[in-house]
Amino acid sequence: MANVKVIINSGSGSFSVETVEIVRTHFSEREMDVDVFLAEEGSTIDRLAREAAESDAEIIVAGGGDGTISSVAIEVFKAGKSLGVLPLGTLNNFSKDLEIPQELSEAIDVIAGGHTRTIDLAEVNGRVFINNSSIGLYPRMVRKREKQQRLGRGKWLSAIWASLRMFKLSPFLKVRIKMDDREFLRKTPFVFVGNNEYDMDIYNIGRRNELDKGTLGVYFLHRGGRWGVIMMLVRTAFGRLKQWRDFEIVATDEITIRTRRRRVHVAFDGEVDVMRSPLIYKSLPKALKVIVPKPE
C-alpha cells in the first residue's frame, strides 16, 4: 500500500469543509495509506512539506494554488520523491499545464494511477519556482486587474483601471541584462521569466506547450516610458503583442538581470519577495518528478 502525505492549504480558493473528508475517502478507496495535513500560512506549509519529504512517504501531494504547490515541490525536488497535485487554487496554472483534471476526485485518480514524468524547474538566486517569475510592472498590473475582476468588473475595464494606476506610480526599471554572451541596457516596465516558454500577452499568461525543454522564456519591452506601455496595451487588445518589434521574447537557459537598486521586489508563483540584485535565473532541466495523467 502506497504511503501518501497530503498537504492542503486551507486558505486556498477551492477549499471547503468537505475537502479533507473527500481526500481521505477517495485515497482510501484506492487502497492508498494517506495522512492529510492542513496549513493556513506559508511557513506552516514549508515546515509540513519538509517533514513529509524527510518521511518514508513515496508520494507527497500538494493541495492548493500554484504558490502552495511551488512550496511543496521545492522539498519534493530536494528529496527526489514524486509530487502529486490537487488543484484547489483559483487559477491552477501549473496543474492545467500538466493536464491534470480540475475535479478533485479525478485528480486523485491521476495520483492513484502513479504515472510520472520529469519536468523542468527554474531558480532565481537559488529560489526555486515552477511557473514564472517577474519584476516591475507586470505582477503589479495583473494583481490589480484580478482584484478588480473579483469585485465584478469586466476584464478590459479592470485592465484599463490597473493600467491607469500603474501610470500614476510610474514603475519603470533600468536593467542590465546578460545572456548567451550578450549584454545590454534597457529601460522597461517589466521583465517576465518563464520556466519554459509561454504563449502569452500582457494580461493573460497562457499555457506552456512544453515543460521539459530546459529553457527560460524571457519577455520584456524594449521601449521605455508611458508611450511604450500604451502601445503595448493596444497591441495586446488586438492580439498582436508577439509581432511587435518593441516586445522581445528570448529563449535561453540562464540570464542575469542587474537593477540600479540593490534590492528589488520579485514575484514568482504567486508570491512576492525582496531579493538582492543581480538576479541570476537558471533552468533546472528535468529536476522534478510529478504524477500526471497517462497518455492516451
Side-chain angles (χ1 to χ4, degrees):
M1 182 179 291
N3 187 352
V4 181
K5 304 288 187 186
V6 181
I7 301 165
I8 296 176
N9 183 349
S10 59
S12 58
S14 300
F15 179 83
S16 67
V17 293
E18 295 86 10
T19 299
V20 174
E21 187 59 33
I22 292 172
V23 169
R24 287 191 175 127
T25 299
H26 280 72
F27 273 110
S28 296
E29 289 175 350
R30 290 153 181 80
E31 298 183 347
M32 303 181 78
D33 183 15
V34 62
D35 293 313
V36 181
F37 304 92
L38 292 182
E40 293 183 355
E41 57 185 12
S43 60
T44 306
I45 294 170
D46 292 342
R47 176 180 59 79
L48 291 172
R50 188 164 54 252
E51 292 173 354
E54 293 171 352
S55 74
D56 59 356
E58 299 97 336
I59 300 170
I60 302 169
V61 177
D66 288 342
T68 299
I69 294 168
S70 182
S71 296
V72 177
I74 291 170
E75 299 301 328
V76 174
F77 154 63
K78 292 177 181 177
K81 296 189 175 183
S82 296
L83 174 71
V85 175
L86 298 179
L88 296 175
T90 304
L91 299 178
N92 301 316
N93 289 320
F94 183 66
S95 64
K96 291 174 182 176
D97 286 341
L98 291 169
E99 299 184 344
I100 292 172
Q102 300 301 291
E103 175 64 36
L104 183 57
S105 61
E106 294 179 11
I108 293 173
D109 284 337
V110 169
I111 296 170
H115 179 76
T116 62
R117 63 175 291 197
T118 53
I119 63 171
D120 303 338
L121 294 173
E123 67 175 15
V124 51
N125 290 7
R127 175 68 180 262
V128 175
F129 59 93
I130 57 175
N131 289 336
N132 55 71
S133 173
S134 57
I135 61 173
L137 180 68
Y138 191 95
R140 299 174 70 180
M141 289 177 74
V142 173
R143 287 201 304 272
K144 287 184 178 295
R145 187 263 294 175
E146 291 176 345
K147 180 179 179 180
Q148 292 303 306
Q149 283 188 271
R150 287 195 293 270
L151 294 174
R153 291 178 176 167
K155 183 179 77 170
W156 287 110
L157 181 59
S158 300
I160 292 169
W161 185 91
S163 303
L164 292 174
R165 287 289 298 166
M166 291 301 98
F167 282 138
K168 184 177 180 180
L169 296 173
S170 187
F172 296 97
L173 299 170
K174 287 185 178 180
V175 295
R176 182 182 298 272
I177 297 173
K178 182 179 180 181
M179 56 182 163
D180 301 333
D181 298 322
R182 293 183 296 159
E183 187 169 345
F184 43 90
L185 294 171
R186 290 288 185 269
K187 181 182 178 183
T188 183
F190 71 91
V191 180
F192 178 99
V193 181
N195 174 22
N196 287 283
E197 296 179 63
Y198 277 82
D199 181 17
M200 64 175 283
D201 63 47
I202 189 62
Y203 285 113
N204 295 286
I205 301 172
R207 302 273 67 82
R208 289 173 289 178
N209 295 321
E210 297 180 86
L211 299 175
D212 55 5
K213 286 184 65 179
T215 63
L216 303 172
V218 184
Y219 308 78
F220 58 93
L221 187 67
H222 280 260
R223 185 180 300 174
R226 287 172 169 78
W227 177 247
V229 177
I230 291 171
M231 288 300 298
M232 178 177 64
L233 297 177
V234 171
R235 292 276 176 169
T236 296
F238 289 96
R240 299 181 62 187
L241 187 60
K242 283 190 173 183
Q243 288 73 43
W244 188 25
R245 66 180 182 275
D246 289 320
F247 184 77
E248 186 163 349
I249 304 172
V250 179
T252 184
D253 60 0
E254 183 172 339
I255 180 172
T256 299
I257 303 172
R258 296 181 182 275
T259 64
R260 297 180 68 178
R261 296 180 180 177
R262 289 188 175 183
R263 301 173 70 84
V264 59
H265 283 88
V266 183
F268 36 80
D269 295 338
E271 307 294 331
V272 178
D273 201 354
V274 178
M275 292 188 166
R276 284 189 173 274
S277 177
L279 304 174
I280 302 174
Y281 286 89
K282 296 180 181 179
S283 174
L284 303 175
K286 296 187 176 180
L288 179 67
K289 187 163 62 173
V290 60
I291 302 175
V292 298
K294 292 182 179 179
E296 296 181 357

